Amino acid sequence: TPTGLDQLLGSASTETERIGRAWLTRAGKRWRPFLTVCVYRALRQDPDAEFPEALKKIAVAVECFHKASLIHDDIEDRDGQRYGVDALHTEYGVPLALNVGDYLLGEGYRLLATSDAPPEARAAMLRAAAEGHRTLTLGQGAELSWSRAPTALASLEVLDIFRKKTAPAFQVALQVGSYFAEGGDELEEIFNRYSEALGIAYQIRDDIDDLADDGAGADRGVRPSLPLAIAFERSHAKEPLRNLLRKAWTGATSAADQEQILDAVRELGADTRCQSLLDAYKEEAIRSLADVDNPSLKGLLRRIVGKIFNELEIKGWC
């Protein structure tokens, strides 16, 4: 809330701070700071303890990183809306929005660096955030480079972009909470595998939702699309469908084309394959927890998979 942020960060004295904090309070599911707090509490084995002030700062830092990435992502993808209203660059213009995104990144690093955590934990949190930031930009950079002259991508290429663009945000949230709880480095590889599987599943779910949304996902040629990639790979013996899908990758499609593209995706079974991959990556996220010794942490991360994907029960894969 605005009041909570002012109490934590002090009063906003500039327009940049006011806009940045207002953006932090906008809609969103808050999965990433939620994960940070829950991992800390699971590792400390004291779920009823009061939140340390430093934990609040660290959780807000994680949300700063996420909300900054959304500002930049909307500009790079030319998306005019976010959360059903004008995106920040639509409301204020690109230069100001870029600056607010940069401010939030700086604020996130400042909050981690000034948190009341032991020096080693602070260094580990800053390293995790920096590595996640770097990986995300490499994934976004691969997509932007492709978008300058878009051609059909292989499904593995799309999945690699998903891996780099989405997994780091989950990974940073988990690692930061773990390092602040002094959980050690032994969880780092587990968190890497879990975040990678969870991030890819998250992106696949978005692609499936786009397809279900009255065919809206059929015209995503300006962005890597897993259904389009799979459909294109399966169309090698069906030249009319292949030509249609090739048009979809360039974005040069009409409303009539979009309907046909959606039909082609379904005819070629790409939607079914996407659902199978989604299930496989969710299962991989659960399997990655097999070596987690802390029952509270393992239970938490299993439930998170079910919660994100709106499932009532996660089967006993580990």
Side-chain angles (χ1 to χ4, degrees):
T1 64
T3 301
L5 289 175
D6 286 347
Q7 289 173 347
L8 195 67
L9 309 175
S11 298
S13 59
T14 68
E15 187 69 3
T16 297
E17 290 172 292
R18 283 189 284 273
I19 294 171
R21 292 189 193 180
W23 179 246
L24 280 176
T25 65
R26 281 200 188 178
K29 295 176 179 159
R30 311 285 195 264
W31 278 118
R32 294 151 188 86
F34 176 76
L35 280 173
T36 297
V37 171
C38 286
V39 166
Y40 170 84
R41 299 187 84 164
L43 289 172
R44 294 303 289 256
Q45 296 287 345
D46 191 1
D48 299 319
E50 188 175 340
F51 279 12
E53 196 74 2
L55 180 59
K56 295 179 184 179
K57 282 188 174 183
I58 289 164
V60 171
V62 168
E63 186 70 354
C64 281
F65 295 139
H66 177 56
K67 284 293 177 68
S69 74
L70 297 184
I71 294 172
H72 292 159
D73 200 47
D74 286 342
I75 293 169
E76 291 163 344
D77 291 344
R78 297 180 177 86
D79 283 336
Q81 289 204 316
R82 170 70 63 175
Y83 305 127
V85 297
D86 283 347
L88 204 68
H89 71 279
T90 306
E91 186 175 354
Y92 291 102
V94 170
L96 192 146
L98 281 173
N99 189 59
V100 170
D102 289 343
Y103 156 72
L104 289 175
L105 288 172
E107 186 74 318
Y109 284 112
R110 183 183 74 84
L111 288 169
L112 291 182
T114 59
S115 64
D116 184 19
E120 286 187 7
R122 268 182 290 168
M125 289 190 294
L126 286 165
R127 175 178 59 81
E131 288 177 352
H133 187 175
R134 179 179 181 276
T135 302
L136 186 150
T137 60
L138 293 177
Q140 185 71 359
E143 181 175 323
L144 291 170
S145 297
W146 165 82
S147 68
R148 296 176 66 189
T151 57
L153 290 171
S155 56
L156 289 177
E157 293 175 307
V158 174
L159 290 171
D160 190 55
I161 290 174
F162 287 177
R163 179 179 293 107
K164 290 175 179 172
K165 281 188 61 173
T166 309
F170 290 112
Q171 190 173 334
V172 169
L174 294 167
Q175 288 182 341
V176 164
S178 170
Y179 286 131
F180 183 55
E182 300 179 66
D185 295 333
E186 64 273 7
L187 290 169
E188 190 168 316
E189 182 55 36
I190 292 171
F191 285 158
N192 288 351
R193 290 172 52 209
Y194 178 83
S195 302
E196 181 176 300
L198 190 65
I200 293 173
Y202 200 86
Q203 286 290 112
I204 294 173
R205 195 266 305 272
D206 280 354
D207 273 3
I208 291 173
D209 286 348
D210 283 339
L211 284 175
D213 186 18
D214 297 326
D219 189 27
R220 291 191 64 191
V222 293
R223 301 179 196 172
S225 161
L226 188 60
L228 278 182
I230 293 171
F232 192 76
E233 288 171 343
R234 293 182 171 189
S235 67
H236 57 87
K238 301 182 178 182
E239 199 55 38
L241 287 183
R242 196 167 181 80
N243 287 335
L244 180 65
L245 292 166
R246 192 177 285 112
K247 283 175 64 179
W249 279 104
T250 66
T253 54
S254 65
D257 288 334
Q258 291 173 31
E259 251 184 80
Q260 291 181 321
I261 290 163
L262 181 60
D263 289 340
V265 166
R266 289 172 174 161
E267 180 183 333
L268 294 163
D271 54 342
T272 305
R273 176 59 178 158
C274 282
Q275 185 61 54
S276 297
L277 286 169
L278 171 60
D279 293 339
Y281 278 106
K282 286 189 295 184
E283 181 176 343
E284 176 55 29
I286 298 298
R287 287 187 187 279
S288 71
L289 305 175
D291 294 330
V292 176
D293 295 326
N294 182 310
S296 296
L297 181 62
K298 179 181 283 192
L300 162 73
L301 295 177
R302 284 165 56 90
R303 287 193 299 274
I304 287 294
V305 176
K307 197 76 173 171
I308 287 179
F309 297 102
N310 300 316
E311 294 169 352
L312 295 178
E313 181 181 356
I314 295 293
K315 295 178 182 178
W317 285 314
C318 65

